[in-house]
Amino acid sequence: QVQLQGSGPGLVKPSGTLSLTCAVSGDSISSSDWWSWIRQSPGKGLEWIAEIHHSGRTNYNASLKSRATISVDKSSNQFSLKLNSVTAADTAVYYCARLKYSYDANGPSRALDVWGQGTMVTVSS
Amino acid sequence: EIVLTQSPGTLSLSPGERATLSCRASQSVDSNFLAWYQQKPGQAPRLLIYGGSRRATGIPDRFSGSGSETDFTLTVSRLEPEDFAVYYCQQHNRSPFTFGPGTTVDI
């Protein structure tokens, strides 16, 4: 079955860059699906960060767009997130997830159907 | 930005009881792009309902979703012990794709 495995440093210094990678198994990153990053912090709940299609098309949360970069590596079947100029407010559990596009008799749909286990990232000196 | 408000914040029920969770949107949401997730402590969210009312793979039929435009409902017909968790609604209709703050279903 499809599995997502996120990885990256658990501690990042303030003003530094947070870098996370999500390895996809059981599905091709070049499929019709999109690939997403979501984070969860006690203060802000679940927050969608960005998503990418293998074609390179991206969507970003405007509140983070100037700091976030999402990319895809088709040769490694993985995708990544970089978030620069981090502060303590960026401390959160970061999840990667697959955004499944579906179309059936009821019409189109989009939902995050497979999630990685989550990577806790703390921003602290 | 579409703001999703969930109520109640906490629902205290017993196994076997019916749970009704509400998700209200600040603007109309195409129900095809409204989903519900379940999250247990230390775990990632799990997709329960997509397209407003379609059950995800492997989700038991005691879970059902309904609603349209700005009012959506997740119903658990008979709570099982494993259903006590936090439930989130999420819209993927208009960017930024937002989540509600969650409803905790506890005993």
Side-chain angles (χ1 to χ4, degrees), chain A residues 40 48 51 104 107-108 110 112, chain B residues 32 37 39 44 54 92 97:
Chain A
Q40 186 172 32
W48 170 78
E51 61 189 25
D104 60 24
R110 295 191 287 264
L112 299 159
Chain B
N32 285 319
Y37 302 86
Q39 187 177 34
R54 291 169 251 187
H92 212 93
F97 307 119

